[in-house]
Amino acid sequence: MSLERALSKLGIASRTEARAWIESGRVRCNGMVIRDPVRWVVPEKLKIELDGVELNRPVPIVLMLHKSRGTITTRSDERGRPTVFDGLPAEFQGFGNLHAVGRLDAATTGLLLLTNDTKLSSWLTDPVQAIPRLYRVTVRGEVTSPKIKTLLQGVPSEVGELHPTAIELLKASQRESHLLVTLQEGKNREVRRLFESVGHEVTDLKRLAFGGLRLGDLPVGTVRKVSDGELALAFPGLLLPSVHE
């Protein structure tokens, strides 16, 4: 990545601030002053100093949050809406560059992972890993078996083909239907687009699981730390030492 991005990933500056530091000669990499903000670097192999002081890499951390309705997953919002970072306990505020692993729209609730480990979040959201996400879905109207079959075959959309892994109908009536839906990709508004394609509006959407991590009884709006042991069990293909090195 570029040097300015590597600095911003440490959580100590914005890209703009990092660029100014680099251009003014305040940054050394492995003892050498670098003045090119877009110089390609491998952060794991660098000793980065600012004004002669070595910058410590943040300790990797993963948090599980029970996202509430109406919050967004970005750091700030031009419309002034609350973000998932606003209410984080003080004990987690000091970890630089915390970001959401993928996104949930404002109306969606449930399990959301936060981390400061960009390698880990990239691995978890890479479609190649095919990590399942389980959602509980409520839609208007009665979802029939033929419609479920249509969805499982895959439906086209403006963001590419939508192809759920599994759909379980829990309850259905003419008024509304309740389902469990499993996806292996994180396309924009994927669940909502799926049911819109067969004539049903999603009225409630909650993520219950991400890979082997389950929301369980974690109260709405609260957060807890996820241990490396939990991650290893939840994502068998994840090699934590190689991700964190």
Side-chain angles (χ1 to χ4, degrees):
M1 67 178 67
S2 68
L3 179 56
E4 65 179 8
R5 185 162 183 246
L7 272 175
S8 70
K9 290 295 183 184
L10 292 174
I12 61 171
S14 66
R15 291 276 286 273
T16 301
E17 291 171 325
R19 174 179 285 268
W21 292 349
I22 296 165
E23 291 177 340
S24 64
R26 297 175 61 190
V27 177
R28 289 178 179 268
C29 297
N30 293 340
M32 181 186 305
V33 174
I34 305 293
R35 293 179 181 270
D36 181 4
V38 295
R39 173 80 169 267
W40 199 252
V41 299
V42 180
E44 294 78 14
K45 296 183 179 180
L46 284 184
K47 174 185 176 182
I48 304 178
E49 296 173 281
L50 176 65
D51 298 331
V53 179
E54 184 174 359
L55 301 178
N56 295 321
R57 296 186 181 91
V59 177
I61 189 172
V62 179
L63 306 176
M64 181 191 296
L65 171 72
H66 188 157
K67 180 185 175 297
S68 58
R69 183 183 295 272
T71 55
I72 61 172
T73 57
T74 54
R75 269 287 179 183
S76 60
D77 179 56
E78 59 185 15
R79 293 161 55 185
R81 292 173 296 179
T83 79
V84 295
F85 301 98
D86 292 338
L88 286 182
E91 63 185 297
F92 300 128
Q93 294 287 356
F95 290 87
N97 193 40
L98 274 176
H99 57 276
V101 179
R103 294 188 176 184
L104 295 178
D105 63 36
T108 302
T109 64
L111 191 159
L112 180 68
L113 295 179
L114 306 175
T115 186
N116 59 359
D117 189 331
T118 54
K119 280 191 173 183
L120 176 61
S121 57
S122 295
W123 190 92
L124 292 173
T125 54
D126 189 338
V128 172
Q129 308 304 335
I131 295 175
R133 288 92 154 163
L134 176 65
Y135 296 84
R136 188 182 69 203
V137 189
T138 302
V139 304
R140 297 189 192 280
E142 184 176 3
V143 178
T144 62
S145 295
K147 287 185 176 182
I148 292 177
K149 183 177 180 180
T150 296
L151 294 177
L152 288 172
Q153 290 172 341
V155 297
S157 81
E158 59 190 50
V159 295
E161 184 175 82
L162 308 178
H163 205 147
T165 304
I167 300 177
E168 179 184 352
L169 182 62
L170 301 176
K171 184 172 64 173
S173 68
Q174 291 185 343
R175 186 174 69 88
E176 65 179 20
S177 301
H178 302 264
L179 310 97
L180 291 177
V181 177
T182 303
L183 307 175
Q184 288 186 335
E185 293 185 76
K187 292 179 178 175
N188 183 37
R189 299 184 67 253
E190 188 167 1
V191 175
R192 300 182 192 279
R193 292 178 190 272
L194 275 168
F195 286 96
E196 285 170 3
S197 73
V198 290
H200 295 279
E201 177 191 0
V202 173
T203 58
D204 189 69
L205 181 59
K206 183 176 186 177
R207 184 153 69 192
L208 302 179
F210 190 108
L213 292 176
R214 293 191 167 269
L215 185 64
D217 58 1
L218 187 68
V220 176
T222 60
V223 63
R224 71 170 182 85
K225 185 177 178 180
V226 180
S227 69
D228 281 359
E230 285 182 274
L231 288 173
L233 290 174
F235 307 104
L238 176 63
L239 301 176
L240 285 169
S242 67
V243 170
H244 287 167
E245 67 184 6

